[in-house]
Amino acid sequence: MVKLAIFASGAGSNAAKIIEHFAGNKAVMINLIVSNKKEAGVLGIAAAAHIDTLIINRSSFYETADCVNELKLRGIDFIVLAGFLWKIPETLIEAYPNRIINIHPALLPNYGGKGMYGNFVHEAVIAAEEKESGITIHYVDAHYDEGDIIFQAKCSIEPTDTPSSLATKIHALEHAHFPVVIENLLKKLA
């Protein structure tokens, strides 16, 4: 059984789709939801699914091995970032080499980096008059959005699209593809 931890900072729509996808799966268990925000919607999703949660604070996350130790204690094998906005510290990357993935709401390497998340990404893509956008699922390394790309899916951008309408298209891609890509990666671990 592969034990998965999901890190999320917000509402948790991707986490919800991942939890739903793996419900009843005998080979994968969502074992922990980690958040840096006590009021994050993802915590309610975790509670409804009877999944343990861990709230982390910035100083402990970056200055100690507490998070790594907690993940190891719980037997976590793989980490999924699903709307988690903090940069992952070296200690965590070293403890889980090629076992931390992230989803980005654009086609990397464009529109990535510090501060490029959510509507900031969609606003930048539309301002640049791009004809398409999409999602990128990638491994996490020591730099924002620079890890090796695992998967990309695209959507067209119409002249009438707004950051909000583009976000709707991107969410549909995320929800359709992220759980399946995770499952395929975990099959390789087994």
Side-chain angles (χ1 to χ4, degrees), residues 7 27 34 89 109 138 152:
F7 284 48
V34 178
H138 63 93
Q152 290 185 311

Side-chain angles (χ1 to χ4, degrees), residues 100-102 104 108 136-140 145 147-150:
I100 307 173
I101 63 169
N102 185 35
H104 186 74
L108 293 175
T136 303
I137 299 169
H138 63 93
Y139 288 106
V140 173
D145 303 322
D148 290 343
I149 292 171
I150 299 164

Side-chain angles (χ1 to χ4, degrees), residues 61-142:
F61 191 56
Y62 289 108
E63 297 167 17
T64 73
D66 291 353
C67 185
V68 171
N69 293 339
E70 184 67 26
L71 294 171
K72 294 294 186 182
L73 183 69
R74 293 172 180 262
I76 298 299
D77 300 300
F78 200 85
I79 299 169
V80 173
L81 308 184
F84 185 73
L85 302 181
W86 287 356
K87 187 176 179 186
I88 301 302
E90 289 279 348
T91 53
L92 191 51
I93 294 167
E94 289 168 7
Y96 288 90
N98 292 318
R99 288 179 178 243
I100 307 173
I101 63 169
N102 185 35
I103 190 163
H104 186 74
L107 298 171
L108 293 175
N110 298 326
Y111 307 104
K114 186 173 183 174
M116 291 302 283
Y117 61 89
N119 265 356
F120 296 118
V121 174
H122 308 314
E123 289 167 1
V125 168
I126 287 178
E129 300 180 354
E130 295 285 357
K131 302 294 183 220
E132 62 183 12
S133 188
I135 61 167
T136 303
I137 299 169
H138 63 93
Y139 288 106
V140 173
D141 66 10

